[in-house]
Every structure is written in C-alpha cells, then in structure tokens.
C-alpha cells in the first residue's frame, strides 16, 4: 500500500481554525494579556470566508442550490472575494453588484476569481433601479435557483460565527477569555462570537468597535436612529449608516468609537511592532483596545481576545501608502519616521 499523500482536497478545507497570536510589544503598557485572532490566515485572507462557506452550504442543505446555480451579493470587499472563491470550487456562478466607487484593483480581483461584476452608479439612491441593491434584487428575482447572500440582513451571518469563530476562541483560550473586542459592520462577527461565549460564561465582556460617522454606538445606547451621527469616514467595513438585522445588540455590552487617523496609525504600528501585516479595521480594533484600557476596562488578570478581520495587502493604496496618508493629513501631527526609511540611490 502506498502512503496517503498529505494534501488538502481544495482551498475551502483551509477556512477557519485561524490562529490566536499573543500581542507583546504594542500592548506592553496596557493592563492584561492580549491575543489577536488573525483572520487573514483564512485562504481568502479574511473572516468573510467563514460566512460565504456557511451560507452557501446551508442553502445546499436546504436544496436551494445545485451546481450551476447562481450566488448574488452586493459588495466589492472581502465578502465578494470569499463568495467568488467558494463559488469557483463548488461550481456556482457568482454575480457581484458593486458601486462605481469601487477601485479598479478590487473589480479586477473579483473578475480574476471568476465573478461576473455589475458596476452600478454610486450617486443614485438605494431605491433607484440602477443602484447596486436594486440590480442585485432584480437579478435574484430573474435568476431561477439563485441565492442572495444579503449579509447585512441574513441571520446565517451570525450563525456562521456562532458555529465556528466562537467555539474556536473558547477552545483556544481554554475558557479563560474575559473580554472580546471586535469591529461591527454587518455585526455578524461580534454577535455570533458573543452569543456563543455568553452561553459558556455570561460574565465575558463583549466590547464593540464603531467608527465616528456611524450610527451603531448611539443606537446601542439609546435605541434611537440618529441621522446626525452619519457623516463620511474612511475606514471600510466598520460601522454603518443603517441598522443591520445581522447585529444582535443585546449580546454586546459596549461600543467604542475610533477615528480614521488613529486607526490608520495603529494599523501601521501593528506591522512595525508585532510583524502583523493586517487591515485597516484590525488597526481600528487595536485602537479601541487602547481606548478601553484608558477607561480602566481591563486589569492584570484580563485575557482579551481582539479580532483582526483581514490582511494588509488589501490596503496598499490606502493606509499603507505614504502618499495616501499625507493626502488625508494623517502625517501632519506626527513625526514622519516612515519617510526616513527609504533612500533612493541615483
Ligand atoms: N473588517 C472588515 C475589513 C470588514 O470587511 C468587515 C465586514 N463588513 C468587518 C471588519 C466587520 O465584520 P462584520 O461585518 O462581521 O461585523
């Protein structure tokens, strides 16, 4: 008998079971022990691989999807990439309706992964027939055997994390986690993990991260939807201008808002101190950790798990570009040590 070759059957088998990595230097002046759940280790480089696989497999179990059918979503971001990846392996068509604001790089990336991309005008209202919401809805209605992922309003988004990320964190920390810090966009990540952890130990604190310019924190505190909270900001994937049903506000204890500028510097600091090249919202999450520490949230015995949702490579023309940082004015108040690290030999 020949020995079995040690290989995965396909890329999807690598989704989930991401590592927990201790943070050392960047948290040395904070109280507690800090561990990052680094979702960039998923094959599609983000936590969205989990929901793409979970939602598609649930549809398969219910008999809604059979090979050759179509999966539809409205995103140019991580979720789009993950859905395209899962669709390729499982033999589905993938349609993504995206805003004309999406960068060419992102659209090229999705097309490389086999998705059909509809680029819809950004400057129309959501109920306009040309908006990416309307286009996705229409294509879903017109395409027999199609599934609309609709991540902001899909309970399965929460269930994906309840069934995978939550149990992984409980197991990895041997039940010793005291605090979870996670960004909220659709809310699926924080809600699913929180639901699982609170069932295991209701004393675990669930600390959310929100952006200035988003309604989530105020809504959580007052149940009021305040339009005045809404204004443009730069961090992608964090916060929202509507209330997603994929967020279970009851399992979240608090929210902290972070700025674009501080989150950007913290993302860069993570690379320089911990060697972790992770995305803008990972910087936002660690920025929130620093602010929660200042508010006295943690003590020496705290075991804090912070979710890092994706990889830094997706932000080369943004947070990790000195030009972009300068254009935003993010270097105005700090010493530009970055620019001392490059020398051009002529
Ligand atoms: N970070 C990034 C980069 C994201 O794309 C998202 C998803 N919108 C989040 C954080 C937030 O995760 P969730 O949608 O599960 O709340």
């Amino acid at each position: 008998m020949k020995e079995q070759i040690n290989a995965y059957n396909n890329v999807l088998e690598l989704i989930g079971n991401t590592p927990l990595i201790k943070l050392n230097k960047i948290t040395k002046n904070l109280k507690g022990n800090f561990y990052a759940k680094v979702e960039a280790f998923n094959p599609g480089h983000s936590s969205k691989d989990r929901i793409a696989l979970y939602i598609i497999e649930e549809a398969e179990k219910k008999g809604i999807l059979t090979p050759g059918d179509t999966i539809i979503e409205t995103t140019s971001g991580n979720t789009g990439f993950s859905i395209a990846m899962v669709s390729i392996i499982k033999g589905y068509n993938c349609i993504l309706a995206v805003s004309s604001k999406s960068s060419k790089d992102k659209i090229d990336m999705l097309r490389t992964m086999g998705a059909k991309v509809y680029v819809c005008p950004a400057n129309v209202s959501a109920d306009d027939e040309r908006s990416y919401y309307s286009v996705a809805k229409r294509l879903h209605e017109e395409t027999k055997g199609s599934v609309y992922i609709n991540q902001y309003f899909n309970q399965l988004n929460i269930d994906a994390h309840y069934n995978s990320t939550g149990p992984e964190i409980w197991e990895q920390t041997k039940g010793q986690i005291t605090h979870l810090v996670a960004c909220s966009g659709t809310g699926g990540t924080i809600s699913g993990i929180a639901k699982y952890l609170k069932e295991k130990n209701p004393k675990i604190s669930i600390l959310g991260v929100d952006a200035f310019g988003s309604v989530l924190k105020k809504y959580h505190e007052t149940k009021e939807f305040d339009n005045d909270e809404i204004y443009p900001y730069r961090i992608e994937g964090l916060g929202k201008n509507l209330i997603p049903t994929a967020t279970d506000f009851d399992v979240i204890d608090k929210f902290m808002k972070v700025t674009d500028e501080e989150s950007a510097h913290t993302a860069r600091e993570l690379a320089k101190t911990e060697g972790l090249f992770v995305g803008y919202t990972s910087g936002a999450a660690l920025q929130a950790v620093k602010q929660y520490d200042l508010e006295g949230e943690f003590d020496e015995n705290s075991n804090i798990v912070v979710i890092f949702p994706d990889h830094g490579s997706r932000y080369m023309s943004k947070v990790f570009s000195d030009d972009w940082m300068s254009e935003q004015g993010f270097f105005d108040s700090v010493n530009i040590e970055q620019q001392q690290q490059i020398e051009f030999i002529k």
Side-chain angles (χ1 to χ4, degrees), residues 99-228:
S99 148
S100 55
K101 272 198 305 192
S102 309
S103 73
K104 185 173 176 301
D105 278 358
K106 280 191 172 174
I107 293 168
D108 286 346
M109 194 158 75
L110 299 174
R111 290 181 49 244
T112 302
M113 295 300 284
K116 162 123 194 178
V117 182
Y118 288 81
V119 182
C120 308
N123 56 350
V124 298
S125 67
D127 52 9
D128 188 294
E129 63 177 19
R130 295 162 297 164
S131 80
Y132 53 89
Y133 294 114
S134 305
V135 169
K137 226 171 120 234
R138 175 172 60 77
L139 290 167
H140 176 45
E141 281 157 14
E142 286 172 5
T143 313
K144 219 171 140 256
S146 67
V147 165
Y148 180 21
I149 300 283
N150 203 7
Q151 61 172 337
Y152 283 90
F153 299 97
N154 192 337
Q155 171 67 32
L156 296 175
N157 178 354
I158 298 184
D159 296 352
H161 292 285
Y162 176 85
N163 284 302
S164 69
T165 332
E168 285 171 29
I169 292 171
W170 181 253
E171 191 50 44
Q172 285 169 317
T173 60
K174 306 294 171 204
Q176 294 169 65
I177 174 175
T178 57
H179 301 74
L180 174 84
V181 178
C183 293
S184 204
T186 66
T189 307
I190 190 167
S191 307
I193 300 173
K195 201 169 149 223
Y196 185 86
L197 292 178
K198 292 258 190 198
E199 279 174 16
K200 290 288 181 189
N201 174 5
K203 290 206 187 102
I204 297 171
S205 288
I206 307 298
L207 305 174
V209 185
D210 190 20
F212 284 99
S214 153
V215 292
L216 300 178
K217 180 174 192 286
K218 177 135 187 203
Y219 182 79
H220 179 249
E221 288 163 5
T222 64
K223 288 279 172 285
E224 181 200 345
F225 182 91
D226 185 354
N227 264 314
D228 290 343

Side-chain angles (χ1 to χ4, degrees), residues 45 103 105-106 109 236 267-268 271 276-280 310-328 331 338:
H45 303 153
S103 73
D105 278 358
K106 280 191 172 174
M109 194 158 75
E236 296 161 61
R268 292 164 76 103
L276 282 171
F277 188 47
V278 287
Y280 201 172
D310 71 353
H311 194 259
S313 57
R314 300 241 157 108
Y315 306 89
M316 283 316 296
S317 56
K318 295 207 166 161
V319 185
F320 302 115
S321 150
D322 283 0
D323 292 342
W324 185 85
M325 290 289 284
S326 294
E327 281 161 26
Q328 312 307 314
F331 282 148
Q338 184 82 13

Side-chain angles (χ1 to χ4, degrees), residues 14-44:
L14 284 147
I15 294 177
N17 291 314
T18 54
L20 204 56
I21 303 178
K22 190 166 194 305
L23 299 174
N24 298 296
K25 295 181 193 155
I26 200 164
T27 47
K28 72 174 184 299
N29 296 323
L30 313 186
K31 282 201 184 116
N33 309 299
F34 296 86
Y35 304 89
K37 179 80 168 154
V38 186
E39 291 292 292
F41 281 88
N42 282 298

Side-chain angles (χ1 to χ4, degrees), residues 5 61 96 111 150 243 246 298 303 315:
I5 290 177
K61 279 186 209 156
L96 300 169
R111 290 181 49 244
N150 203 7
I243 304 300
F298 315 127
N303 292 319
Y315 306 89

